[in-house]
Amino acid sequence: MAIAFLTITPLGTGTPSVSRFVAGVERILRETPVRHQLTAMGTIIEGDLDEILALAHAVAAGSP
């Protein structure tokens, strides 16, 4: 069992708002069985290390 803290920081968006990115990450997380908790500064993810790494890759690639 592993725990990771994931922060996605969109760059070059032209706006300081990140709400659509947070919503995109949450949408991806809801589709997985990995336990997660959204926080003000990122997301805490708990599960198998391979699942966490695959999820981190999916979130980074799939956020709008």
Side-chain angles (χ1 to χ4, degrees):
M1 182 73 60
I3 297 175
F5 185 80
L6 180 66
T7 300
I8 301 293
T9 307
L11 300 175
T13 63
T15 177
S17 175
V18 295
S19 61
R20 70 183 184 126
F21 297 96
V22 173
V25 169
E26 181 63 21
R27 191 175 314 110
I28 292 169
L29 289 170
R30 282 189 205 157
E31 298 172 357
T32 67
V34 176
R35 291 181 50 174
H36 65 279
Q37 178 181 357
L38 202 61
T39 71
M41 298 302 291
T43 303
I44 301 167
I45 304 171
E46 181 181 337
D48 179 65
L49 181 58
D50 291 334
E51 291 176 337
I52 291 174
L53 294 176
L55 183 59
H57 184 268
V59 166
S63 52

